[in-house]
């Protein structure tokens, strides 16, 4: 607003920090998910993600064509960029809310899966716009390979680090080394050698470490005394340290997001508000369809309906779109950032209202 700081002053460091925020929050959030809860929620998380992502992309695409007169491909790119939910917002909120573990894990998984869908989908459309070549088989192959390879590599590295920490107890106090492993894992998985989703690999790594006690107990060759001594390789002090780092990166991410905002065109914010409202109105349908065989209580249903803020992935992708030289990409910057801001503010308002019992979900309005 006062033009004291400009986004370009941060240079390439801003995108690096945004990427670190994404992978770190996924890793730290996954530490709190146990395998039992994961297996119970993975089906509903996948279905909820697919439905909500599809509805969001379609409604954003349609409204952007009408309101901005965009081409079909550019409108599709717009929809894909804002199609997911923000891990940076959802994961911390889920950890604080008195939400059922199954539904909380589903929301966390949704944020991770939708980030991958946003990235893979947006990068594919960018390549199509720049090259003019379309291949549905290639897109499907990229999504499947991105998920599967990332899960395998992240899981294997997680197992290696779990057994390493178990054997060398002094390493358990070197918390920064674990963070370095997460970063190295992300770089390796994203490299041309693997070409998969670094974010999903970080999630898988965190899941393995968070369930290290269960994994180590699977060894039947240990004596009863040895089994009694098995503990989670990440101590309470380690988890506290990771939480403090999480708070640090979230604060700086939102400060940077505020710096990116351009308030010189209020019409763009009005249009963004229409898009956000439409997205939130369609969310209850996705929740209802994905949980049609389950009786949800009011609090769980409402939480599933409102925890869909946009954030990190969208902010990163809009910068990538501009850097790639996509024609007309400059038009997308302000409305996408406005959608991020409005959705986060709306979620921040609705969450305490829900906890106070004042808000019972869109389906009750």
């Amino acid at each position: 607003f006062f033009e004291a700081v400009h986004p370009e002053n941060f240079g390439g460091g801003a995108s690096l920090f945004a990427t670190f925020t994404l992978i770190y929050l996924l890793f730290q959030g996954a530490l709190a998910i146990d395998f039992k809860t994961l297996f119970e929620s993975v089906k509903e998380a996948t279905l909820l993600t697919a439905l909500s992502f599809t509805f969001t992309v379609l409604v954003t695409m349609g409204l952007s064509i009408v309101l901005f007169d965009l081409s079909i491909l550019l409108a599709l790119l717009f929809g894909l960029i804002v199609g997911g939910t923000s891990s940076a917002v959802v994961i911390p909120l889920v950890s604080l809310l008195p939400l059922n573990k199954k539904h909380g894990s589903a929301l966390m998984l949704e944020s991770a899966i939708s980030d991958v869908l946003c990235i893979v989908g947006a990068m594919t459309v960018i390549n199509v716009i720049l090259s003019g070549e379309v291949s549905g088989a290639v897109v499907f192959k990229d999504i499947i390979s991105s998920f599967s390879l990332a899960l395998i590599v992240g899981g294997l590295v997680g197992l290696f680090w779990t057994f390493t920490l178990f054997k060398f107890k002094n390493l358990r106090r070197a918390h920064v080394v674990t963070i370095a492993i997460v970063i190295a894992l992300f770089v390796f998985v994203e490299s041309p050698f693997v070409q998969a989703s670094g974010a999903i690999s970080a999630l898988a790594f965190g899941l393995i470490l968070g369930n290290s006690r269960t994994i180590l107990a699977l060894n039947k060759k240990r004596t009863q005394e040895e089994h009694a001594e098995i503990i989670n390789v990440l101590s309470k002090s380690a988890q506290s340290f990771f939480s403090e780092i999480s708070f640090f990166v979230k604060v700086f991410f939102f400060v940077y997001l505020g710096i990116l905002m351009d308030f010189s065109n209020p019409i763009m914010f009005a249009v963004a508000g229409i898009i956000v409202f439409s997205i939130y109105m369609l969310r209850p349908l996705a929740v209802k369809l994905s949980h049609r065989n389950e009786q949800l209580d009011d609090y769980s249903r409402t939480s599933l309906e409102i925890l869909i803020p946009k954030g990190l992935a969208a902010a990163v992708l809009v910068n990538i779109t501009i850097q790639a030289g996509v024609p007309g990409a400059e038009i997308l910057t302000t409305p996408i950032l406005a959608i991020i801001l409005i959705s986060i503010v709306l979620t921040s308002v609705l969450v305490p209202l829900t906890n106070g019992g004042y808000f019972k979900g869109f389906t009750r309005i």
Side-chain angles (χ1 to χ4, degrees), residues 23 27 44 81 106 164 206 230 237 279 338 359:
I23 62 175
F27 158 71
E44 86 174 41
I81 289 176
T164 300
I230 292 176
S237 64
I279 292 171
F359 185 73

Side-chain angles (χ1 to χ4, degrees), residues 40-41 99 135-136 139 145 229 244 279 314 332:
E40 288 177 350
S41 60
L99 190 60
S135 176
V139 175
S145 62
E229 294 178 358
E244 291 175 3
I279 292 171
L332 305 181

Side-chain angles (χ1 to χ4, degrees), residues 42 49 150 188 294 325 327:
V42 67
T49 304
F188 174 71
E294 180 182 358

Side-chain angles (χ1 to χ4, degrees), residues 28-99:
Q28 198 256 338
L31 294 176
I33 303 176
D34 61 83
F35 283 148
K36 181 181 178 181
T37 304
L38 173 67
F39 292 134
E40 288 177 350
S41 60
V42 67
K43 181 180 178 181
E44 86 174 41
T46 304
L47 183 56
L48 178 62
T49 304
L51 291 169
S52 184
F53 185 82
T54 302
F55 292 162
T56 301
V57 171
L58 291 177
V59 71
T60 305
M61 183 180 174
L63 287 173
S64 62
I65 290 174
V66 174
L67 298 173
F68 297 115
D69 195 26
L70 299 180
S71 65
I72 293 178
L73 280 178
L74 199 57
L76 176 59
L77 178 60
F78 189 180
L80 289 168
I81 289 176
V82 300
T85 59
S86 173
S87 305
V89 181
V90 171
I91 290 175
L93 280 175
V94 167
S95 63
L96 294 173
L97 295 176
L99 190 60

Side-chain angles (χ1 to χ4, degrees), residues 239-293:
Q239 295 181 33
S240 176
F241 175 79
F242 292 145
S243 296
E244 291 175 3
I245 298 296
S246 174
F247 175 77
F248 173 81
V249 297
K250 281 182 290 185
V251 167
F252 274 82
F253 163 68
F254 286 113
V255 169
Y256 176 64
L257 196 60
I259 292 171
L260 291 176
M261 294 293 173
D262 179 11
F263 295 95
S264 62
N265 191 350
I267 295 177
M268 287 293 186
F269 280 81
V271 172
I274 294 172
I275 294 174
V276 171
F277 181 78
S278 302
I279 292 171
Y280 272 76
M281 287 298 102
L282 280 174
R283 175 70 172 189
L285 178 59
V287 172
K288 184 176 182 179
L289 292 174
S290 60
H291 295 78
R292 59 185 181 277
N293 296 324

Side-chain angles (χ1 to χ4, degrees), residues 19 23 31 36 44 81 98 114 133 137 147 152 201 231 233 326 357:
T19 303
I23 62 175
L31 294 176
K36 181 181 178 181
E44 86 174 41
I81 289 176
S114 63
E133 298 178 0
F147 273 91
I152 292 171
S201 67
I231 60 172
V233 294
V326 175

